[in-house]
Amino acid sequence: MSDRHPMTGNEMSGTAQGGLERHAYDVIVIGAGGSGLRAAIAAHEAGAKVGIVCKSLLGKAHTVMAEGGIAAAMGNRWPEDNWEVHFRDTMRGGKMLNNWRMAQLHAQEAPERVLELEDWGALFDRTEDGLISQRDFGGHKYARLAHVGDRTGLEMIRTLQQRTVQLGIDVFMECTVTDLLRADGAIAGAFGYWRETGRFVVFEAPAIVLATGGIGKSYKVTSNSWEYTGDGHALALRAGASLINMEFVQFHPTGMVWPPSVKGLLVTESVRGDGGILKNSEGKRFMFDYIPEFFKAETADTVEEADRWYDDKKNNRRPPELLPRDEVARAINSEIKAGRGSEHGGIYLDIASRRSPEFIRKRLPSMYHQFKELADVDITAEPMEIGPTCHYVMGGIEVDPDTELSAVRGLYAVGECSGGMHGSNRLGGNSLSDLLVFGRRAGEAAASYADGLGASRPAVAEADVQAASRAALAPFESEGGENPYTIQADLQQSMNDLVGIIRTAAELESSLAEIERFKERAAHMSVEGHRQYNPGWHLALDLKNMLLVSEAIAKAALARQESRGGHTRDDFPATDPEWGTKNLVVNLNAAGDGVDLAEKPLPVMPDELKRFFE
């Protein structure tokens, strides 16, 4: 396994050449979360020579934050569950804006991918009769999340990482890719640098799988870690690919707002799945006031069934706290805006009064220990103060549903940096099964493409390597400019205030004007010191990606004049059927410094699938 390459000799200045490291592979996977590892395993098993490049350490992927489970219609708790019901739930959760083929493949293949993970050593919780246990989650008709306590993502990464190492796949850790290199419009390789030494590295490969995750670090309050700066989104745009559905950003309903030591940290939906309820400052359980008529009509065959669906006082199957995330986040936001929020600007999530301390410690061990140790909050004895936090972007690189190929030959995308699967809103648990299903498909497709090229592979042009090198060193050339941290802090505040959970045209127009000003400031930002581990330089390069992706989100949000899923317009509160027939597609503009928008009709669902919605 490749690791960081320590420097020899003197510290490398911004202008020092420092040599150029080169590696050749059939397939390079950028990102080592669930989707990246699954893609790498699939490509390796298909016979390709595979390398994984990750910005952080192996195992430090955001997938470990996924606590609740993997959504798959295995029927272990509810035998009547099947892929058709899962498909219907996914489409309804995404307000029918999903790519139907992706939703279909996902629902059909998820159970097999879960069993495969178990074959590789994942240790799932069990039912009384020894089957993989499945829990309730928002928007799913049946309990279908295969889980490992509240550490499911961690167990997934552990299993995939162990498999990756066992297969002998090369991993380049703490290495950031800054440019994709092309020849005649097709992928030829990638250019990056070692974070520790600043030394440049070129990966020659005809197939690249982007698995870089999300965009959360563009926002002030987020559950995402430092790596989530929209790298894959921006790399793909600059290489000629399109982004789709960028207006749809999911604000997870329950991130901690207090104490400061855990601000933004996610409280898994499992807390609500296992009986936790939401209360306002008056002590009222308010979610019963926010059950949309759409769900009453659309998720039940009769009014009686609808009442049972939501009223846990009758049969404890589907409390209103388990509505889809966008509905719950909007309800919480409404309570806070109406002055019924908690002391620190959130609301209360209470499981302590509903379950015994023993039950909570057994079912939610990570939640209990995390908040006890980090914040001295005992969730078995007191409610948590929570509120919406930027969590996930439904938008991403537009791909072919069967192969995950983008508009650029040789460039594939999976996981959160790809778009289409989740429509306007992602159901909890669908992200982990998404990683497995499409990670495998992308890896196999990338390996097949590379193999089919034979000896006639696109070659990396030295002029492109030199251009990528100059672009990476540009922040060292500017003197007396602004610190990148100041610009990022201002961008995060602006996105939080103007492109948040509730949006208006005036605020979105202001945000776009501010982004233009941030771009001007970023053009003159400067970094001090040398190229050895220099976080200011790293942020300066990440900031280019954050600004591009933030513009894509704000422009698409301004254009979509309706409310749907993770996109709520205060000035267009209704869901407009006209907007339900098309996606917004984002491309790099002619100048290469911003984005253009276009409308694209939704792919037509075949009649045999339409019948599920009649």
Side-chain angles (χ1 to χ4, degrees):
M1 192 189 296
S2 299
D3 202 345
R4 303 179 304 276
H5 289 204
M7 274 190 62
T8 53
N10 299 327
E11 292 172 341
M12 197 185 297
S13 70
T15 54
Q17 290 301 304
L20 186 69
E21 193 179 325
R22 288 182 182 265
H23 299 275
Y25 287 90
D26 300 322
V27 177
I28 283 288
V29 179
I30 303 174
S35 62
L37 292 176
R38 189 63 191 84
I41 291 166
H44 174 90
E45 290 180 339
K49 184 187 179 189
V50 183
I52 298 172
V53 182
C54 55
K55 198 170 176 178
S56 189
L57 295 170
L58 186 64
K60 171 64 177 68
H62 214 273
T63 307
V64 302
M65 296 286 287
E67 297 148 332
I70 309 169
M74 303 171 80
N76 293 351
R77 288 278 187 200
W78 296 90
E80 54 267 55
D81 195 13
N82 56 40
W83 78 262
E84 289 103 331
V85 183
H86 191 184
F87 167 73
R88 186 173 64 184
D89 289 348
T90 298
M91 292 296 298
R92 280 180 170 152
K95 308 298 187 287
M96 305 303 288
L97 217 61
N98 323 55
N99 181 303
W100 66 265
R101 176 64 176 158
M102 292 183 87
Q104 178 193 24
L105 289 169
H106 168 257
Q108 287 174 335
E109 296 179 9
E112 194 180 335
R113 299 284 76 78
V114 172
L115 293 173
E116 185 175 62
L117 209 59
E118 187 180 42
D119 288 343
W120 294 345
L123 300 168
F124 289 99
D125 293 350
R126 321 305 291 190
T127 63
E128 299 75 12
D129 48 3
L131 299 172
I132 290 175
S133 179
Q134 297 187 271
R135 64 159 49 114
D136 266 341
F137 240 55
H140 294 278
K141 183 165 187 178
Y142 298 110
R144 67 164 68 100
L145 267 74
H147 58 91
V148 185
D150 56 357
R151 300 186 177 113
T152 312
L154 183 61
E155 180 69 357
M156 178 190 274
I157 285 292
R158 183 196 69 77
T159 305
L160 293 173
Q161 182 179 306
Q162 191 172 326
R163 179 91 177 158
T164 301
V165 172
Q166 187 183 2
L167 293 172
I169 297 170
D170 291 343
V171 182
F172 298 84
M173 292 188 275
E174 296 193 306
C175 182
T176 297
V177 171
T178 60
D179 273 295
L180 300 179
L181 306 172
R182 291 173 298 152
D184 297 323
I187 289 295
F191 177 93
Y193 66 93
W194 293 104
R195 297 179 73 83
E196 185 181 50
T197 64
R199 193 181 295 276
F200 292 138
V201 55
V202 170
F203 298 96
E204 296 178 23
I208 287 179
V209 180
L210 292 171
T212 54
I215 53 87
K217 292 312 285 183
S218 287
Y219 284 85
K220 185 180 179 183
V221 181
T222 179
S223 64
N224 294 178
S225 59
W226 63 269
E227 301 96 334
Y228 269 39
T229 52
D231 296 3
H233 293 73
L235 285 169
L237 269 180
R238 290 197 290 265
S242 307
L243 306 183
I244 194 168
N245 293 343
M246 288 305 292
E247 64 271 38
F248 299 114
V249 178
Q250 184 173 86
F251 290 81
H252 194 289
T254 55
M256 290 292 272
V257 299
W258 191 261
S261 58
V262 288
K263 187 172 184 177
L265 208 59
L266 221 57
V267 180
T268 173
E269 204 160 321
S270 310
V271 174
R272 286 171 283 137
D274 284 338
I277 59 172
L278 298 171
K279 293 178 177 177
N280 61 23
S281 59
E282 298 165 2
K284 180 184 177 183
R285 184 181 178 186
F286 58 83
M287 279 306 301
F288 284 103
D289 300 337
Y290 292 94
I291 300 168
E293 290 302 316
F294 168 83
F295 280 98
K296 283 189 175 177
E298 291 293 316
T299 57
D301 298 325
T302 65
V303 174
E304 291 76 20
E305 187 182 340
D307 288 340
R308 284 200 303 277
W309 183 261
Y310 293 112
D311 190 354
D312 72 335
K313 287 179 286 192
K314 290 183 181 174
N315 72 355
N316 202 31
R317 241 189 79 199
R318 189 66 52 180
E321 281 80 7
L322 290 182
L323 280 162
R325 289 176 175 177
D326 59 315
E327 305 289 346
V328 179
R330 275 199 293 270
I332 292 170
N333 197 65
S334 297
E335 289 295 305
I336 295 167
K337 281 196 164 180
R340 296 187 288 271
S342 66
E343 183 185 350
H344 301 102
I347 51 95
Y348 298 104
L349 173 56
D350 174 23
I351 193 171
S353 67
R354 310 269 297 173
R355 301 291 188 199
S356 70
E358 295 74 30
F359 177 94
I360 295 168
R361 283 194 288 266
K362 181 183 176 187
R363 294 278 290 192
L364 302 161
S366 295
M367 286 287 102
Y368 172 73
H369 289 294
Q370 178 174 280
F371 294 125
K372 193 83 179 93
E373 289 169 21
L374 295 180
D376 199 26
V377 171
D378 184 352
I379 69 170
T380 68
E382 59 187 304
M384 292 162 266
E385 272 192 76
I386 58 93
T389 178
C390 176
H391 178 54
Y392 189 92
V393 62
M394 276 68 73
I397 301 154
E398 188 177 19
V399 293
D400 171 78
D402 289 77
T403 63
E404 313 345 297
L405 176 65
S406 74
V408 180
R409 269 183 300 140
L411 183 62
Y412 302 79
V414 284
E416 194 173 351
C417 74
S418 70
M421 158 65 199
H422 303 290
S424 67
N425 185 40
R426 175 180 68 79
L427 296 187
N430 270 1
S431 57
L432 290 189
S433 38
D434 169 13
L435 305 182
L436 295 172
V437 169
F438 297 110
R440 172 178 167 269
R441 283 181 161 269
E444 289 180 350
S448 173
Y449 166 76
D451 183 53
L453 289 172
S456 59
R457 296 186 168 192
V460 169
E462 286 311 304
D464 291 343
V465 173
Q466 294 305 316
S469 173
R470 285 193 300 274
L473 294 174
F476 288 109
E477 307 300 320
S478 177
E479 287 185 15
E482 231 181 315
N483 183 316
Y485 287 96
T486 312
I487 303 170
Q488 186 198 23
D490 290 347
L491 171 67
Q492 289 174 329
Q493 189 69 56
S494 174
M495 292 297 285
N496 230 64
D497 295 346
L498 304 174
V499 198
I501 188 167
I502 308 289
R503 300 156 174 183
T504 64
E507 288 179 344
L508 292 167
E509 283 163 358
S510 296
S511 81
L512 286 166
E514 289 194 5
I515 287 168
E516 287 306 313
R517 288 194 287 274
F518 297 146
K519 281 190 204 171
E520 288 169 23
R521 289 164 62 186
H524 304 291
M525 66 185 163
S526 56
V527 294
E528 301 295 325
H530 47 76
R531 278 160 63 185
Q532 271 186 294
Y533 202 88
N534 185 336
W537 177 40
H538 304 168
L539 179 61
L541 298 178
D542 289 343
L543 199 52
K544 287 197 309 182
N545 299 337
M546 282 187 269
L547 287 166
L548 196 58
V549 171
S550 297
E551 182 183 350
I553 294 168
K555 265 198 175 155
L558 179 61
R560 183 171 286 274
Q561 297 183 337
E562 66 155 357
S563 293
R564 184 185 296 265
H567 169 68
T568 301
R569 286 285 296 267
D570 222 12
D571 44 357
F572 294 96
T575 299
D576 184 346
E578 178 69 21
W579 276 103
T581 64
K582 56 195 173 188
N583 295 119
L584 287 173
V585 176
V586 177
N587 286 290
L588 197 68
N589 64 16
D593 61 355
V595 300
D596 290 329
L597 277 186
E599 293 180 4
K600 184 174 183 176
L602 274 179
V604 179
M605 188 187 293
D607 291 341
E608 66 264 24
L609 295 180
K610 282 182 185 170
R611 64 185 172 85
F612 297 137
F613 305 95
E614 289 168 0

